[in-house]
Coordinates of all heavy atoms in Angstrom, one line a residue:
Y147 N -5.3 -6.0 -21.5 CA -4.8 -5.1 -22.6 C -4.5 -6.0 -23.9 O -4.9 -5.7 -25.0 CB -3.6 -4.3 -22.2 CG -2.8 -3.8 -23.4 CD1 -3.2 -2.7 -24.1 CD2 -1.7 -4.5 -23.8 CE1 -2.5 -2.2 -25.2 CE2 -1.0 -4.0 -24.9 CZ -1.4 -2.9 -25.6 OH -0.7 -2.5 -26.7
L148 N -3.7 -7.1 -23.6 CA -3.3 -7.9 -24.8 C -4.5 -8.5 -25.5 O -4.5 -8.6 -26.7 CB -2.3 -9.0 -24.3 CG -1.0 -8.4 -23.8 CD1 -0.2 -9.5 -23.1 CD2 -0.1 -7.9 -25.0
V149 N -5.4 -9.0 -24.7 CA -6.6 -9.6 -25.3 C -7.5 -8.6 -26.1 O -7.9 -8.8 -27.2 CB -7.4 -10.4 -24.3 CG1 -8.7 -10.9 -24.9 CG2 -6.6 -11.5 -23.7
S150 N -7.7 -7.4 -25.4 CA -8.7 -6.5 -26.0 C -8.1 -5.6 -27.0 O -8.7 -5.3 -28.0 CB -9.4 -5.7 -24.9 OG -8.5 -4.9 -24.2
S151 N -6.8 -5.2 -26.8 CA -6.2 -4.3 -27.8 C -5.5 -5.0 -28.9 O -5.4 -4.5 -30.0 CB -5.3 -3.3 -27.1 OG -5.9 -2.3 -26.4
E152 N -4.9 -6.1 -28.6 CA -4.0 -6.7 -29.6 C -4.7 -8.0 -30.1 O -4.1 -8.7 -30.9 CB -2.6 -6.9 -29.0 CG -2.0 -5.6 -28.6 CD -0.5 -5.7 -28.4 OE1 0.1 -6.8 -28.3 OE2 0.1 -4.6 -28.3
Q153 N -5.9 -8.3 -29.5 CA -6.6 -9.5 -29.9 C -5.8 -10.8 -30.0 O -5.9 -11.5 -31.0 CB -7.3 -9.2 -31.3 CG -8.6 -8.5 -31.1 CD -8.6 -7.1 -31.7 OE1 -8.0 -6.9 -32.7 NE2 -9.2 -6.1 -31.0
T154 N -5.0 -11.0 -29.0 CA -4.2 -12.2 -28.9 C -4.5 -12.9 -27.6 O -4.3 -12.3 -26.6 CB -2.7 -11.9 -29.0 OG1 -2.4 -10.9 -30.0 CG2 -1.8 -13.1 -29.1
P155 N -5.1 -14.1 -27.7 CA -5.3 -14.8 -26.4 C -4.0 -14.9 -25.6 O -3.0 -15.4 -26.2 CB -5.8 -16.2 -26.8 CG -6.3 -16.0 -28.2 CD -5.5 -14.9 -28.8
S156 N -3.9 -14.3 -24.4 CA -2.7 -14.2 -23.7 C -2.8 -14.6 -22.3 O -3.8 -14.2 -21.7 CB -2.1 -12.8 -23.8 OG -2.0 -12.4 -25.1
A157 N -1.8 -15.2 -21.7 CA -1.8 -15.4 -20.3 C -0.5 -14.8 -19.8 O 0.6 -15.0 -20.4 CB -1.9 -16.8 -19.9
I158 N -0.5 -14.1 -18.7 CA 0.7 -13.5 -18.2 C 0.8 -13.7 -16.7 O -0.3 -13.6 -16.0 CB 0.8 -12.0 -18.6 CG1 2.2 -11.4 -18.3 CG2 -0.3 -11.2 -17.9 CD1 2.4 -10.1 -19.0
V159 N 1.9 -14.0 -16.2 CA 2.1 -14.2 -14.7 C 3.3 -13.3 -14.4 O 4.4 -13.3 -15.0 CB 2.5 -15.6 -14.3 CG1 2.4 -15.8 -12.8 CG2 1.7 -16.6 -15.0
L160 N 3.1 -12.4 -13.4 CA 4.2 -11.5 -12.9 C 4.4 -11.7 -11.5 O 3.4 -11.9 -10.7 CB 3.8 -10.1 -13.2 CG 3.4 -9.7 -14.6 CD1 2.8 -8.3 -14.7 CD2 4.6 -9.8 -15.6
G161 N 5.6 -11.6 -11.0 CA 5.9 -11.8 -9.6 C 7.1 -11.1 -9.1 O 8.1 -11.0 -9.8
V162 N 7.0 -10.5 -7.9 CA 8.1 -9.9 -7.3 C 8.1 -10.3 -5.8 O 7.0 -10.2 -5.1 CB 8.0 -8.3 -7.3 CG1 9.1 -7.7 -6.5 CG2 8.1 -7.8 -8.8
F163 N 9.2 -10.8 -5.3 CA 9.2 -11.1 -3.9 C 10.3 -10.2 -3.2 O 11.4 -10.2 -3.6 CB 9.6 -12.6 -3.7 CG 9.4 -13.1 -2.3 CD1 8.1 -13.6 -1.9 CD2 10.3 -12.9 -1.3 CE1 7.9 -14.0 -0.6 CE2 10.1 -13.3 0.0 CZ 8.9 -13.8 0.3
V164 N 9.8 -9.4 -2.3 CA 10.7 -8.5 -1.7 C 10.7 -8.7 -0.2 O 9.6 -8.7 0.5 CB 10.4 -7.0 -2.1 CG1 9.0 -6.6 -1.9 CG2 11.4 -6.0 -1.4
G165 N 11.8 -8.9 0.4 CA 11.9 -9.0 1.9 C 12.7 -7.9 2.5 O 13.0 -6.9 1.8
A166 N 13.1 -8.0 3.8 CA 13.7 -7.0 4.5 C 15.1 -6.6 3.8 O 15.5 -5.5 3.9 CB 13.9 -7.4 5.9
G167 N 15.7 -7.6 3.2 CA 17.0 -7.4 2.6 C 17.0 -7.0 1.2 O 18.0 -6.9 0.5
G168 N 15.8 -6.8 0.6 CA 15.7 -6.5 -0.8 C 14.9 -7.5 -1.6 O 14.3 -8.4 -1.0
V169 N 15.1 -7.4 -2.9 CA 14.3 -8.2 -3.8 C 15.0 -9.6 -3.9 O 16.2 -9.6 -4.3 CB 14.2 -7.6 -5.2 CG1 13.5 -8.5 -6.2 CG2 13.5 -6.2 -5.1
T170 N 14.4 -10.6 -3.6 CA 15.0 -11.9 -3.7 C 14.6 -12.7 -5.0 O 15.2 -13.7 -5.4 CB 14.7 -12.8 -2.5 OG1 13.3 -12.8 -2.3 CG2 15.4 -12.2 -1.3
A171 N 13.4 -12.4 -5.6 CA 13.0 -13.0 -6.8 C 12.0 -12.1 -7.5 O 11.2 -11.5 -6.9 CB 12.4 -14.4 -6.5
A172 N 12.2 -12.0 -8.8 CA 11.3 -11.2 -9.6 C 11.3 -11.7 -11.1 O 12.4 -12.2 -11.6 CB 11.6 -9.7 -9.6
G173 N 10.2 -11.7 -11.7 CA 10.2 -12.1 -13.1 C 8.8 -12.2 -13.7 O 7.8 -11.7 -13.0
G174 N 8.7 -12.8 -14.8 CA 7.3 -13.0 -15.4 C 7.3 -13.9 -16.6 O 8.4 -14.3 -17.1
L175 N 6.2 -14.4 -16.9 CA 6.0 -15.2 -18.1 C 4.8 -14.7 -18.9 O 3.8 -14.3 -18.4 CB 5.6 -16.6 -17.6 CG 6.5 -17.6 -17.0 CD1 5.8 -18.9 -16.8 CD2 7.7 -17.9 -18.0
L176 N 5.0 -14.8 -20.3 CA 3.9 -14.4 -21.1 C 3.8 -15.5 -22.1 O 4.7 -16.0 -22.8 CB 4.3 -13.1 -21.9 CG 3.4 -12.7 -23.1 CD1 2.0 -12.3 -22.6 CD2 4.0 -11.5 -23.8
V177 N 2.5 -16.0 -22.2 CA 2.2 -17.1 -23.1 C 1.1 -16.7 -24.0 O 0.1 -16.2 -23.6 CB 1.9 -18.4 -22.4 CG1 1.7 -19.6 -23.4 CG2 2.9 -18.8 -21.3
Q178 N 1.3 -16.7 -25.3 CA 0.3 -16.2 -26.3 C 0.0 -17.3 -27.3 O 0.9 -18.0 -27.8 CB 0.8 -15.0 -27.0 CG 1.1 -13.8 -26.1 CD 1.4 -12.5 -26.8 OE1 2.5 -12.5 -27.4 NE2 0.6 -11.5 -26.6
V179 N -1.3 -17.4 -27.7 CA -1.7 -18.3 -28.7 C -1.7 -17.5 -30.0 O -2.5 -16.5 -30.1 CB -3.1 -18.9 -28.4 CG1 -3.5 -19.9 -29.5 CG2 -3.0 -19.7 -27.1
L180 N -0.9 -17.9 -30.9 CA -0.8 -17.1 -32.2 C -2.0 -17.3 -33.1 O -2.7 -18.3 -33.0 CB 0.5 -17.4 -32.9 CG 1.7 -17.1 -32.0 CD1 3.0 -17.4 -32.8 CD2 1.7 -15.6 -31.6
P181 N -2.3 -16.3 -34.0 CA -3.5 -16.4 -34.8 C -3.8 -17.7 -35.4 O -4.9 -18.2 -35.5 CB -3.3 -15.3 -35.9 CG -2.3 -14.3 -35.2 CD -1.5 -15.1 -34.3
K182 N -2.7 -18.4 -35.9 CA -3.0 -19.6 -36.6 C -3.6 -20.7 -35.7 O -4.2 -21.7 -36.2 CB -1.7 -20.1 -37.3 CG -0.6 -20.6 -36.4 CD 0.5 -21.1 -37.3 CE 1.7 -21.5 -36.5 NZ 2.8 -22.0 -37.3
A183 N -3.4 -20.6 -34.4 CA -3.9 -21.6 -33.5 C -5.0 -21.0 -32.6 O -5.6 -21.8 -31.8 CB -2.7 -22.1 -32.6
A184 N -5.3 -19.7 -32.8 CA -6.3 -19.1 -31.8 C -7.7 -19.7 -31.9 O -8.4 -19.6 -30.9 CB -6.3 -17.6 -32.1
R185 N -8.1 -20.3 -33.0 CA -9.4 -20.9 -33.1 C -9.5 -22.3 -32.4 O -10.5 -22.9 -32.3 CB -9.9 -21.0 -34.5 CG -10.5 -19.6 -34.9 CD -11.3 -19.7 -36.2 NE -10.9 -18.7 -37.1 CZ -10.2 -18.8 -38.2 NH1 -9.9 -20.0 -38.7 NH2 -10.0 -17.7 -38.9
D186 N -8.3 -22.8 -32.0 CA -8.2 -24.1 -31.4 C -8.6 -23.9 -29.9 O -7.8 -23.7 -29.0 CB -6.8 -24.7 -31.5 CG -6.7 -26.1 -31.0 OD1 -7.6 -26.5 -30.2 OD2 -5.7 -26.8 -31.3
E187 N -9.9 -24.0 -29.6 CA -10.4 -23.7 -28.3 C -9.8 -24.6 -27.2 O -9.6 -24.1 -26.1 CB -11.9 -23.7 -28.3 CG -12.5 -22.5 -28.9 CD -14.0 -22.6 -29.1 OE1 -14.7 -23.4 -28.4 OE2 -14.6 -21.8 -30.0
A188 N -9.6 -25.8 -27.5 CA -9.1 -26.8 -26.6 C -7.7 -26.3 -26.2 O -7.3 -26.4 -25.0 CB -9.1 -28.2 -27.1
L189 N -6.9 -25.9 -27.1 CA -5.5 -25.5 -26.9 C -5.5 -24.2 -26.0 O -4.8 -24.2 -25.0 CB -4.9 -25.1 -28.2 CG -3.4 -24.7 -28.1 CD1 -2.5 -25.9 -27.7 CD2 -2.9 -24.1 -29.5
V190 N -6.4 -23.3 -26.3 CA -6.5 -22.0 -25.5 C -6.9 -22.4 -24.1 O -6.3 -21.9 -23.1 CB -7.5 -21.0 -26.1 CG1 -7.7 -19.8 -25.2 CG2 -7.0 -20.6 -27.5
A191 N -7.9 -23.3 -23.9 CA -8.4 -23.7 -22.6 C -7.3 -24.4 -21.8 O -7.1 -24.1 -20.6 CB -9.6 -24.6 -22.7
T192 N -6.6 -25.3 -22.4 CA -5.5 -26.0 -21.7 C -4.4 -25.1 -21.2 O -4.0 -25.1 -20.0 CB -4.8 -27.0 -22.7 OG1 -5.7 -27.8 -23.4 CG2 -3.8 -27.9 -22.0
L193 N -4.1 -24.1 -22.1 CA -3.1 -23.1 -21.7 C -3.5 -22.3 -20.5 O -2.8 -22.1 -19.6 CB -2.8 -22.3 -22.9 CG -1.5 -21.7 -23.0 CD1 -0.4 -22.8 -23.1 CD2 -1.4 -20.8 -24.3
E194 N -4.8 -21.8 -20.6 CA -5.3 -21.0 -19.5 C -5.3 -21.7 -18.2 O -4.8 -21.1 -17.2 CB -6.7 -20.5 -19.9 CG -6.8 -19.4 -20.8 CD -8.2 -19.0 -21.3 OE1 -9.1 -19.7 -20.9 OE2 -8.3 -18.0 -22.0
S195 N -5.7 -23.0 -18.2 CA -5.7 -23.7 -16.9 C -4.2 -23.9 -16.4 O -4.0 -23.8 -15.2 CB -6.4 -25.0 -17.1 OG -5.7 -25.9 -17.9
R196 N -3.3 -24.2 -17.3 CA -1.9 -24.4 -16.9 C -1.3 -23.1 -16.3 O -0.6 -23.1 -15.3 CB -1.1 -24.9 -18.0 CG -1.5 -26.2 -18.4 CD -0.4 -27.0 -19.1 NE -0.9 -28.2 -19.5 CZ -0.2 -29.1 -20.2 NH1 1.0 -28.8 -20.6 NH2 -0.8 -30.2 -20.6
V197 N -1.6 -22.0 -17.0 CA -1.0 -20.7 -16.5 C -1.6 -20.4 -15.1 O -1.0 -19.9 -14.2 CB -1.2 -19.6 -17.5 CG1 -0.7 -18.3 -17.0 CG2 -0.4 -19.9 -18.8
A198 N -3.0 -20.7 -15.0 CA -3.6 -20.4 -13.7 C -3.0 -21.2 -12.6 O -2.8 -20.6 -11.5 CB -5.1 -20.7 -13.8
A199 N -2.5 -22.3 -12.9 CA -1.8 -23.2 -11.9 C -0.5 -22.6 -11.5 O 0.2 -23.1 -10.6 CB -1.7 -24.6 -12.4
L200 N 0.0 -21.7 -12.3 CA 1.3 -21.1 -12.1 C 1.3 -19.9 -11.1 O 2.2 -19.1 -11.1 CB 1.9 -20.6 -13.4 CG 3.0 -21.5 -14.1 CD1 3.5 -20.8 -15.3 CD2 4.1 -21.9 -13.1
A201 N 0.3 -19.8 -10.4 CA 0.1 -18.6 -9.4 C 1.4 -18.6 -8.5 O 1.7 -17.5 -8.0 CB -1.1 -18.8 -8.6
G202 N 2.0 -19.7 -8.3 CA 3.2 -19.7 -7.5 C 4.4 -19.5 -8.2 O 5.5 -20.1 -7.9

Side-chain angles (χ1 to χ4, degrees):
Y147 159 80
L148 291 168
V149 172
S150 63
S151 281
E152 305 196 346
Q153 277 112 39
T154 312
S156 306
I158 190 165
V159 193
L160 304 168
V162 172
F163 194 89
V164 53
V169 178
T170 51
L175 284 183
L176 172 65
V177 186
Q178 298 187 296
V179 180
L180 298 182
K182 67 177 180 180
R185 275 195 227 113
D186 186 342
E187 284 172 22
L189 183 70
V190 175
T192 309
L193 207 60
E194 277 171 357
S195 66
R196 293 203 185 176
V197 174
L200 260 185

